[in-house]
Amino acid sequence: MEKWDVIIIGAGAAGMMCAIEAGKRGRSVLVLDQSKKAGNKIRMSGGGRCNFTNYDVSADNYLGDNPHFCKSALSRFTQWDFLAMVERYKIPFHEREHGQLFCNDSAKDILNMLFAECHQAGVEIRLNSTVDTIEQQAGNHFRLNSRRGHDQFHCQSLVVATGGLSIPTMGSSPFGYQIAEQFGLKLKPTRAGLVPFTLQPADKQRFAALSGIAIDCLVSHHHTSFRENILFTHRGLSGPAVLQISNYWQPGELIEIDLLPELDLLAHLKQAQQTHPQQQIKTVLQHQLPKRLIAAFLDEKLLEQPLANSRFEQFETIANQLKQWQIKPNGTEGYRTAEVTLGGVDTDDISSKTLEAKQAKGLYFIGEVLDVTGWLGGYNFQWAWASGWCAGQYV
Ligand SMILES: Cc1cc2nc3c(=O)[nH]c(=O)nc-3n(C[C@H](O)[C@H](O)[C@H](O)COP(=O)(O)OP(=O)(O)OC[C@H]3O[C@@H](n4cnc5c(N)ncnc54)[C@H](O)[C@@H]3O)c2cc1C
């Protein structure tokens, strides 16, 4: 039986950050992960360049049943704190749209920084180690069994940093949720987030020819909107604006897309009618949008009509179709391609200050396993760093 002060299940972003902080406090720390490599999601994130945080972080960038829960951790370990670490390691980075910060070279720079910090803090990371069962013993200590009982561990503080369910091939598992249930914590229903939409068969056929087209749009769901690109794919709709809105969408609901957010199309068509009456409608529209896209949305006869012969109602129809395109996705691509898992361990059962379970002393939950989900843009890593850092001060 191995004895440790702190055992962390999951060597992802949250688990490693917690390990570093606990190690610095002189605690003996073991991180167990079932994968062959630590930090798989960091390695594959941001297209290999890891969007590690964002210049502009607030609780408004997160979803969860308790929108206030994340505030404490986000304010105690901020994006500036993580950035200071990145700068200390001289990792070259750059800002993209909406304050998103990416490595210039490779996500491996972030991983190597975490490994170096773990090493300095005396943390041991053990891979290929699936934790199978946990028991709480007298004095609030924990006993863990791995490899069906061949390896046994004992610790004072147990940290669950097992992440969500997305990308099952990357070691994700529902084990964190099972531990929560075992200790009587509530769970919020889980579903795939930051995920592309699939389309109903008729829409799929209608938009098949548009695969590969990306356009800057305003995508809305009720009162939430995102202004970023959408991408038509052979399966449906993707691109950053679609991934963002997927966090808010529920099956059966509509989303609305403004394909020309910069333009008052109705006024534009009326003006063109005055200045170029002999021009066809499609000529005006082709200055704004790709030909293939216009053809998929509007009737050919209407498109070939000269502006002079067009009625106001026809302009209204066109503006409606292109600026208030309403579409009901068939579903999402699910956990196979989702970047995150919405829902998870109910934050009402967790201290927002220490990340300890209120009814299980010594048991902590951090990162994506909790019901805290960020927007696309470095917010999910910032939550992992912040919650991991905070728990690391107490475990
Ligand atoms: C393709 C992709 C790209 C992304 N890009 C970005 C990005 O650029 N910016 C951003 O902010 N977010 C991004 N995300 C989201 C981000 O990666 C996650 O939110 C973040 O990694 C969550 O960190 P975590 O430590 O909570 O969990 P994870 O990083 O998922 O780590 C959990 C770990 O627990 C281990 N584990 C699970 N069960 C067990 C068990 N029973 N025993 C032992 N180990 C176990 C897993 O192997 C895993 O290593 C991306 C996600 C994906 C899938």
Side-chain angles (χ1 to χ4, degrees):
M1 168 91 69
E2 288 186 41
K3 290 198 172 179
W4 296 82
D5 293 336
V6 182
I7 293 184
I8 299 171
I9 310 177
M16 283 195 276
M17 183 57 95
C18 179
I20 292 163
E21 289 304 309
K24 281 191 206 161
R25 287 175 41 237
R27 305 284 278 159
S28 66
V29 184
L30 174 67
V31 187
L32 296 170
D33 199 296
Q34 63 185 4
S35 295
K36 282 196 283 252
K37 289 180 176 169
N40 273 331
K41 285 196 181 153
I42 299 174
R43 195 174 289 106
M44 71 191 299
S45 66
R49 293 238 159 85
C50 188
N51 178 193
F52 53 81
T53 191
N54 195 295
Y55 274 140
D56 186 16
V57 179
S58 83
D60 295 342
N61 306 114
Y62 293 86
L63 295 88
D65 261 25
N66 177 356
H68 304 293
F69 178 81
C70 61
K71 285 181 181 169
S72 170
L74 291 175
S75 68
R76 279 180 298 144
F77 187 81
T78 68
Q79 67 273 40
W80 309 112
D81 294 318
F82 191 76
L83 209 50
M85 202 168 160
V86 168
E87 282 171 342
R88 199 153 33 87
Y89 277 78
K90 298 190 171 35
I91 296 175
F93 66 92
H94 62 278
E95 181 185 358
R96 294 195 193 160
E97 280 183 333
H98 309 290
Q100 302 171 359
L101 300 182
F102 285 78
C103 296
N104 285 0
D105 301 326
S106 165
K108 282 189 201 143
D109 289 346
I110 299 290
L111 263 180
N112 290 337
M113 172 182 83
L114 295 170
F115 293 154
E117 287 281 303
C118 280
H119 181 71
Q120 274 173 37
V123 170
E124 180 172 339
I125 300 178
R126 213 171 290 170
L127 303 170
N128 296 309
S129 300
T130 308
V131 180
D132 302 309
T133 58
I134 287 164
E135 295 150 46
Q136 193 167 24
Q137 301 188 311
N140 292 319
H141 288 191
F142 297 89
R143 190 170 131 161
L144 283 72
N145 295 303
S146 173
R147 294 174 225 239
R148 294 193 178 81
H150 289 305
D151 296 336
Q152 293 188 335
F153 307 92
H154 182 274
C155 63
Q156 289 168 7
S157 296
L158 176 62
V159 183
V160 182
T162 47
L165 298 170
S166 64
I167 323 276
T169 49
M170 285 287 133
S172 39
S173 83
F175 191 57
Y177 309 131
Q178 289 160 9
I179 300 173
E181 279 186 318
Q182 180 186 340
F183 286 88
L185 281 73
K186 295 184 291 302
L187 295 178
K188 293 289 172 189
T190 49
R191 65 190 164 89
L194 298 179
V195 62
F197 287 133
T198 56
L199 298 181
Q200 314 271 356
D203 286 331
K204 197 172 166 194
Q205 204 180 351
R206 181 173 161 210
F207 300 119
L210 306 188
S211 181
I213 292 182
I215 23 175
D216 171 30
C217 291
L218 185 75
V219 180
S220 307
H221 172 270
H222 300 310
H223 301 297
T224 308
S225 299
F226 291 94
R227 172 81 189 271
E228 279 176 80
N229 272 359
I230 67 162
L231 172 71
F232 290 87
T233 70
H234 61 282
R235 283 192 291 268
L237 285 177
S238 187
V242 165
L243 301 187
Q244 298 279 33
I245 216 73
S246 73
N247 275 353
Y248 293 84
W249 178 83
Q250 296 281 354
E253 293 181 337
L254 288 166
I255 55 162
E256 188 171 296
I257 302 180
D258 181 349
L259 292 159
L260 287 167
E262 289 290 338
L263 188 72
D264 180 343
L265 184 57
L266 198 55
H268 184 71
L269 287 166
K270 280 197 290 183
Q271 201 194 354
Q273 192 177 38
Q274 302 296 318
T275 50
H276 301 94
Q278 294 318 313
Q279 240 177 28
Q280 291 180 322
I281 290 178
K282 70 174 176 194
T283 314
V284 183
L285 296 178
Q286 279 167 12
H287 284 119
Q288 310 294 337
L289 290 166
K291 267 188 206 173
R292 276 188 287 156
L293 184 133
I294 298 165
F297 275 83
L298 297 161
D299 179 55
E300 202 181 322
K301 240 171 89 190
L302 177 66
L303 286 171
E304 286 178 355
Q305 196 168 282
L307 291 162
N309 303 356
S310 305
R311 285 175 287 116
F312 179 73
E313 302 82 75
Q314 290 178 309
F315 288 165
E316 272 187 328
T317 308
I318 295 169
N320 242 329
Q321 302 254 19
L322 298 177
K323 287 192 64 74
Q324 286 164 39
W325 171 33
Q326 295 204 329
I327 182 154
K328 191 187 281 185
N330 199 23
T332 71
E333 288 186 9
Y335 292 118
R336 191 179 58 81
T337 59
E339 284 199 11
V340 284
T341 301
L342 289 145
V345 177
D346 190 336
T347 53
D348 280 353
D349 292 341
I350 306 287
S351 155
S352 62
K353 185 174 170 213
T354 62
L355 284 304
E356 188 177 21
K358 287 177 185 165
Q359 63 261 50
K361 205 175 165 342
L363 180 64
Y364 296 77
F365 289 83
I366 54 173
E368 202 183 311
V369 72
L370 288 165
D371 175 28
V372 176
T373 305
W375 289 2
L376 187 81
Y379 299 103
N380 285 296
F381 278 138
Q382 187 56 40
W383 169 245
W385 314 134
S387 57
W389 186 92
C390 287
Q393 313 306 314
Y394 300 96
V395 290

